[in-house]
Amino acid sequence: MIKFDPVKNRIFTDTRNVGIGHREGLILELLVQRAPDVIEKQEIITHAWGNICVGDTSLAKSISALRRAFLKLGVKESPIITAPRVGYRALPGRVQCVEISLEEVVENPLSTETPKPHAELDNESTEQQDTSNGTDLSPICPPYIRIILNILSVILIFATLVILSIKLDLAPWPPHAAHLALAQQRVGELILIKSPSVKLSLPLRRLLASNQCDCVVFVGIGDGENELAWFHRQTQDAVNLTYRSGQLPVVSAQITQFVEERK
């Protein structure tokens, strides 16, 4: 059985492990989830590229890259079948998606090409912790200034999150139980705040894993619209995005740009 890790973008067996690209991972994920149905080319392109305009050639190159990855894995017969002039499908029972917990995602950051050795991941984790602990702060900054800034940051963060949660009507807000409406947890460097009833999808877990920073993240899932807010604690600015089902790839690109610009 071929196993597929959609978070770290790799296919593997008991003896071999091959990394695949980000687009190829999205394509394989869709084909495996819908197997053995034939998925039309345009639907695959929309799923993997979002609002970026690409043609059939780009899709064909990604399919070829996937088939080469299966060959490297030692699989002689590719599980991806071409439906002429229509699209592609995956053979049922050939590839199994591996469910990755949120904790495992953060402990082993996302790799879009080739999975990194555990030693490198440990080094990266140590470097991130050093940065988050403030070792690069200027020594001339008085301690009381840091305390004041931290207090103001916390007040601003929670005021924003309360407003967002009420807007999405995630939970009732009686005065004596307002603090119970949202749950908070650590996701690597991120502080994730959401309603306890909100379940994180695989794409959302992938987004959290690949955009680690000193940020507070709010996730809200509504009936028709979803909300995603990313507050950067060091730069004191945020991005707040409202999106519908199917628009997450576009939102993910905006979040990634927001985080990259503040590194």
Side-chain angles (χ1 to χ4, degrees):
M1 172 67 71
I2 306 167
K3 295 182 180 180
F4 168 50
D5 180 347
V7 174
K8 292 191 290 182
N9 285 329
R10 64 189 181 112
I11 53 176
F12 60 98
T13 61
D14 293 336
T15 58
R16 294 187 182 182
N17 177 36
V18 177
I20 59 178
H22 174 65
R23 306 289 184 194
E24 287 74 24
L26 292 174
I27 293 171
L28 183 59
E29 178 187 356
L30 178 63
L31 293 177
V32 171
Q33 287 178 348
R34 301 273 293 276
D37 297 342
V38 174
I39 312 299
E40 294 183 358
K41 294 179 180 180
Q42 188 55 52
E43 184 176 353
I44 299 175
I45 291 173
T46 300
H47 179 79
W49 279 270
N51 64 340
I52 301 175
C53 294
V54 299
D56 292 351
T57 302
S58 296
L59 176 58
K61 289 180 179 178
S62 290
I63 294 294
S64 296
L66 274 174
R67 287 170 171 162
R68 287 196 301 270
F70 283 114
L71 285 174
K72 292 179 182 178
L73 199 63
V75 178
K76 295 181 180 180
E77 182 182 355
S78 173
I80 299 176
I81 304 299
T82 300
R85 296 185 297 277
V86 179
Y88 302 91
R89 69 184 182 94
L91 294 174
R94 294 287 305 279
V95 181
Q96 176 187 1
C97 279
V98 179
E99 186 69 21
I100 306 295
S101 68
L102 189 57
E103 290 75 15
E104 290 176 304
V105 169
V106 175
E107 289 175 2
N108 300 280
L110 174 65
S111 172
T112 58
E113 292 297 337
T114 304
K116 298 179 180 180
H118 291 293
E120 293 184 19
L121 297 178
D122 293 340
N123 291 337
E124 286 186 359
S125 176
T126 302
E127 292 173 0
Q128 291 174 348
Q129 290 175 2
D130 290 341
T131 302
S132 62
N133 288 336
T135 55
D136 60 341
L137 290 177
S138 173
I140 65 174
C141 181
Y144 70 88
I145 295 295
R146 299 182 192 176
I147 295 174
I148 293 174
L149 289 176
N150 287 336
I151 293 174
L152 291 175
S153 298
V154 172
I155 293 174
L156 179 60
I157 291 167
F158 282 97
T160 302
L161 295 175
V162 166
I163 293 172
L164 290 174
S165 184
I166 295 174
K167 177 182 175 182
L168 289 174
D169 195 23
L170 294 176
W173 283 81
H176 64 280
H179 65 286
L180 299 176
L182 292 174
Q184 174 181 316
Q185 69 180 103
R186 271 280 181 182
V187 182
E189 291 183 86
L190 302 174
I191 298 176
L192 175 64
I193 298 180
K194 65 182 183 63
S195 169
S197 62
V198 170
K199 303 299 183 183
L200 296 177
S201 65
L202 180 60
L204 277 176
R205 285 184 286 159
R206 181 188 290 118
L207 182 62
L208 293 171
S210 59
N211 289 281
Q212 291 288 301
C213 60
D214 185 15
C215 295
V216 177
V217 177
F218 173 79
V219 176
I221 307 297
D223 293 333
E225 291 186 341
N226 306 319
E227 192 134 5
L228 192 59
W230 223 275
F231 179 86
H232 200 287
R233 298 203 293 178
Q234 292 183 357
T235 60
Q236 300 291 297
D237 58 352
V239 58
N240 182 25
L241 302 169
T242 301
Y243 63 97
R244 295 183 179 274
S245 178
Q247 296 178 323
L248 186 57
V250 179
V251 171
S252 298
Q254 292 177 300
I255 293 293
T256 300
Q257 181 180 357
F258 172 80
V259 173
E260 289 294 329
E261 290 176 349
R262 283 150 186 82
K263 287 184 177 180

